[in-house]
Amino acid sequence: MPFDAHDHLVPGTVTPERQVPRSITRPPYVGLQTPPPYAGDNTYSDAEVARIRAAGRIASGALDAVGEAVRPGVTTEELDRVAHEFVIAAGAYPSTLGYRGYPKSSCTSVNEVICHGIPDDTVLREGDIVNVDITAYLDGMHGDTNRTFRVGRVSTEVDQLVERTHEAMMRGIKAARPGRQVNIIGRVIETYAKRFGYGVVRDFTGHGVGAAFHTGLIIPHYDSAPRYDDVISAGMVFTVEPMLTLGTHEWEMWDDDWTVTTRDKSITAQFEHTVLITESGFELLTVSE
């Protein structure tokens, strides 16, 4: 039973890992407990950005396919199948599969799950929301993105949370300009979220991405100044992925060491793009063709 008597999500049954054709190149961390250390920085040449963009388009296309499959009665396991098959059909590897032991090709976070929900036999119901996070690895680069989908019709309160979380992400991205510190992103996001009384999750952040799934650069979504003072420069690539809640920003983790929920079980939404900083602004690298 994926929901308890209080209508809160509980762990379901997780099936074995999906197979990836041998012809598809694996990221270097597959089969390891921890990824190899990343020695590069967070800026990329035009040729490298083109490779990140190609991976990002695959991840975005996979989310398009998943979005078409979201409906009452579908399982999160089925959504993962759709994501997995789209990514490998494009010749890419689903980056989450085997990352630090993660067992699936996407993350599916339902209702009060903030992030890293593992796809299982949970059946989505009318009025639920589900965030699906997909990263594709192609030609040595990762493209990372997620969206929150409404399952049928949702309440006005939840609908507004979803819409405003997307707006918060875009406001944060638009604030990221060369010469500013990365903490400007979180300041803008939290200022907007506070207008509606939303919780802003602090401990799960955006990150540098590209040649590594997570480079070590941290992009906070709350006003963290003076911490996280890395200076933004043209050519930088990172994710912006705010998680807003209808209640607390505090969280707890399931025994699977992955699934993170709001401590008060309030509903939470998230959106994410991989972003390139340009001399004049930004480019979203995780959009469909």
Side-chain angles (χ1 to χ4, degrees), residues 214-284:
H214 298 84
T215 66
L217 174 67
I218 293 174
I219 307 296
H221 302 122
Y222 67 100
D223 189 356
S224 64
R227 295 193 305 151
Y228 304 113
D229 59 355
D230 299 84
V231 176
I232 300 167
S233 62
M236 284 182 74
V237 176
F238 49 77
T239 71
V240 177
E241 48 184 301
M243 292 145 267
L244 306 185
T245 81
L246 291 178
T248 184
H249 69 274
E250 297 178 331
W251 56 273
E252 55 191 21
M253 185 177 289
W254 284 2
D255 291 342
D256 61 18
D257 291 330
W258 283 106
T259 306
V260 179
T261 73
T262 51
R263 183 165 293 174
D264 60 3
K265 300 300 184 286
S266 59
I267 300 295
T268 176
Q270 181 186 19
F271 284 87
E272 173 186 23
H273 272 302
T274 295
V275 180
L276 166 69
I277 301 300
T278 66
E279 293 287 357
S280 59
F282 67 91
E283 179 190 346
L284 303 180

Side-chain angles (χ1 to χ4, degrees), residues 2 8-12 14 76 102-104 106-120 122 204 251-263 265 268:
H8 298 146
L9 199 70
V10 296
V14 179
T76 54
Y102 188 82
K104 289 293 179 180
S106 62
C107 299
T108 53
S109 301
V110 179
N111 294 346
E112 71 267 23
V113 178
I114 294 171
C115 57
H116 306 156
I118 299 174
D120 58 20
T122 298
F204 299 90
W251 56 273
E252 55 191 21
M253 185 177 289
W254 284 2
D255 291 342
D256 61 18
D257 291 330
W258 283 106
T259 306
V260 179
T261 73
T262 51
R263 183 165 293 174
K265 300 300 184 286
T268 176

